[in-house]
Amino acid sequence: MCPHSRFVRLILGELGVEHDLVEERVWERRREFLVLNPAGQTPVLVEDEGSAVPGACIAAEWLDETRGLALGEHRLLPEAPQERIEVRRLVEWFNVKFFEEVSLHLVHEKAYKRFMPADVGGGPPNPAGIRAARANIRYHMQYIGHLVGRRHWLAGERLTYADLAAAAHLSVTDYLGDTPWDEDQRAKEWYARVKSRPSFRALLADRIAGISPPDSYADPDF
Amino acid sequence: MCPHSRFVRLILGELGVEHDLVEERVWERRREFLVLNPAGQTPVLVEDEGSAVPGACIAAEWLDETRGLALGEHRLLPEAPQERIEVRRLVEWFNVKFFEEVSLHLVHEKAYKRFMPADVGGGPPNPAGIRAARANIRYHMQYIGHLVGRRHWLAGERLTYADLAAAAHLSVTDYLGDTPWDEDQRAKEWYARVKSRPSFRALLADRIAGISPPDSYADPDF
């Protein structure tokens, strides 16, 4: 349920890179995991040759530098520095701002706290956090609608990391039943396009113990 | 006093790029500023040809892509993808983790709140925030010492963005009298080396109305 891990999984899917998933309960602060990422956060991408790439944005840059070029004009982080500004701005928008205002609260309250022991913050969800997230997500839906109202994809005419970051976070809020699809029709249509991509399939097949997504979660015509 | 702006100013200094500074009081949420950066945060780098580059990390990537190559082996974001992982990891460490645990609290409580109107959160400093930051900064000093105990600079044998990000944040906590230089001698020696660079001079000459730095602030042999 970590939206940043989902962002990297979508990139790997678009790049066609086979990978294994390892669940990490970051609150356990496992020593072996802290060696891979001293900041103690997911995701960490571990390459066959042993490199550990900590953090979603760093993994995205690494994957662009080591595989992205091969995609030519379908490169997910475009070649031109000017276009890269807008892609990176939106990636940060969702990975930082949307996360802090929306997805962090929902995932933490509704999912992580079920699995965390009480002494590190586990327990029943705090309704105030969920309420705040549900209020905040509305203007993000409008912002997505505003962007795709004048462009085909979030950062321009081609699919980029910006779309994958936004969709990764929305896939989590959607799983938890908290994405207000009636807020903006353009945002909904954009998400339907991203959701139909083969790279999305693994995310739609995921199930978390004890939490069922709404029926529409895996339906491309939701 | 924005540590992220100081990071970009240090990069511009190292690159020898002349620039003007414009103070932005982000809590005023000026419409013209929100056009430059919808996230409403400093810094924003505005180029002569009109491009606005929002956010410190995005500006750092942009400056590397448009000017960094010219520095050859002194490039501040190294060429090799493997080395870039470590530089970006540490930039994020200071710009996100150190910021949230230390510099945000100190700057907000001791500086910004003096200038903010009461209705957006201005007022006297909250001692709890300052206390937490003063406790947290100690392990960051030890971490810097640990890193420069086995490398000449933070991310390796050459000066990189990692050093500039760390030093930008420490320059702010130092101005506010809250950097515990006795915590780790190696960290202090590393900072003395960064502080002696010509790119640092403009930062050391800055003065904030109503807040005087300690005498040692601008002294390279502090």
Side-chain angles (χ1 to χ4, degrees):
Chain A
M1 290 297 271
C2 165
H4 299 111
S5 301
R6 288 186 162 217
F7 171 46
V8 176
R9 290 169 66 192
L10 287 175
I11 299 172
L12 292 170
E14 289 291 332
L15 293 170
V17 176
E18 299 265 341
H19 54 279
D20 297 316
L21 300 176
V22 178
E23 188 185 77
E24 184 65 39
R25 300 187 170 197
V26 292
W27 52 85
E28 294 176 357
R29 298 189 60 75
R30 283 196 312 122
R31 182 179 292 264
E32 296 80 2
F33 184 68
L34 292 174
V35 170
L36 297 178
N37 185 5
Q41 292 167 335
T42 48
V44 173
L45 175 69
V46 180
E47 295 273 7
D48 283 340
E49 85 273 20
S51 314
V53 192
C57 287
I58 299 172
E61 297 284 347
W62 161 266
L63 288 168
D64 178 66
E65 288 164 2
T66 56
R67 276 91 159 187
L69 275 165
L71 293 187
E73 64 170 21
H74 298 291
R75 190 171 171 184
L76 296 161
L77 185 58
E79 185 81 14
Q82 187 69 55
E83 291 174 43
R84 293 163 88 89
I85 294 174
E86 183 65 351
V87 174
R88 288 187 174 123
R89 179 182 79 78
L90 289 168
V91 167
E92 193 168 302
W93 182 281
F94 289 98
N95 278 345
V96 179
K97 194 172 171 65
F98 186 93
F99 179 65
E100 289 175 357
E101 293 175 358
V102 180
S103 47
L104 170 63
H105 298 292
L106 293 173
V107 172
H108 183 74
E109 297 300 337
K110 295 179 120 184
Y112 293 168
K113 281 171 81 174
R114 297 169 69 101
F115 302 103
M116 293 166 78
D119 62 339
V120 294
N126 168 7
I130 295 174
R131 245 190 333 264
R134 285 180 181 157
N136 292 336
I137 195 172
R138 298 203 167 267
Y139 93 87
H140 286 285
M141 299 306 287
Q142 291 164 18
Y143 188 49
I144 291 172
H146 163 75
L147 291 171
V148 293
R150 46 189 199 136
R151 305 162 168 174
H152 193 58
W153 297 100
L154 278 189
E157 296 312 311
R158 287 183 297 143
L159 177 89
T160 67
Y161 279 167
D163 301 282
L164 303 183
H169 286 265
L170 285 181
S171 78
V172 170
T173 58
D174 195 32
Y175 188 104
L176 297 170
D178 287 316
T179 309
W181 292 118
D182 55 351
E183 184 72 28
D184 193 296
Q185 187 60 28
R186 298 164 303 183
K188 184 178 176 179
E189 284 166 8
W190 159 84
Y191 186 69
R193 276 190 282 135
V194 188
K195 193 176 177 178
S196 308
R197 298 185 71 84
S199 64
F200 229 83
R201 275 182 214 143
L203 268 55
L204 299 180
D206 273 355
R207 289 297 176 273
I208 313 299
I211 312 176
S212 297
D215 289 343
S216 62
Y217 172 68
D219 178 3
D221 301 313
F222 56 107
Chain B
M1 290 297 271
C2 165
H4 299 113
S5 301
R6 286 186 164 218
F7 170 46
V8 176
R9 290 170 65 192
L10 287 175
I11 300 172
L12 292 169
E14 290 290 332
L15 293 170
V17 177
E18 299 264 342
H19 55 278
D20 296 318
L21 300 176
V22 179
E23 188 185 76
E24 184 64 38
R25 299 185 173 201
V26 292
W27 51 86
E28 294 176 357
R29 297 189 60 76
R30 284 195 313 122
R31 182 178 292 265
E32 296 81 358
F33 183 69
L34 292 174
V35 170
L36 298 178
N37 185 6
Q41 291 167 335
T42 49
V44 173
L45 176 69
V46 181
E47 295 274 6
D48 284 340
E49 86 272 20
S51 314
V53 192
C57 287
I58 299 173
E61 297 284 346
W62 161 267
L63 288 168
D64 178 66
E65 288 163 3
T66 56
R67 275 92 160 186
L69 275 164
L71 293 186
E73 66 169 21
H74 298 292
R75 191 169 170 184
L76 296 161
L77 186 58
E79 187 80 14
Q82 187 68 57
E83 291 175 43
R84 293 162 89 90
I85 295 174
E86 181 66 351
V87 173
R88 287 186 176 125
R89 180 182 78 80
L90 289 167
V91 167
E92 193 168 302
W93 182 280
F94 290 98
N95 278 345
V96 179
K97 195 172 171 64
F98 186 93
F99 180 64
E100 288 175 358
E101 293 175 357
V102 180
S103 47
L104 169 64
H105 298 291
L106 293 173
V107 172
H108 183 74
E109 298 300 336
K110 295 179 120 183
Y112 293 168
K113 281 172 81 173
R114 297 170 70 102
F115 302 102
M116 293 166 78
D119 62 340
V120 293
N126 168 6
I130 295 174
R131 246 192 329 264
R134 284 181 181 156
N136 292 337
I137 195 172
R138 297 202 169 268
Y139 93 86
H140 285 285
M141 300 305 288
Q142 291 163 16
Y143 188 49
I144 291 172
H146 163 75
L147 291 171
V148 294
R150 46 191 199 136
R151 305 162 168 173
H152 192 58
W153 296 99
L154 279 188
E157 296 312 311
R158 288 183 296 144
L159 178 89
T160 67
Y161 280 167
D163 302 282
L164 302 184
H169 285 266
L170 285 180
S171 79
V172 170
T173 58
D174 195 33
Y175 188 103
L176 297 170
D178 286 316
T179 309
W181 293 118
D182 55 351
E183 185 71 27
D184 193 296
Q185 186 60 27
R186 298 163 303 182
K188 184 177 177 181
E189 285 166 8
W190 159 83
Y191 186 70
R193 276 190 283 135
V194 188
K195 192 177 178 179
S196 307
R197 298 185 71 84
S199 64
F200 229 84
R201 275 183 212 141
L203 268 55
L204 300 180
D206 273 355
R207 290 296 177 272
I208 313 299
I211 313 176
S212 297
D215 289 342
S216 62
Y217 173 68
D219 178 3
D221 301 313
F222 58 109

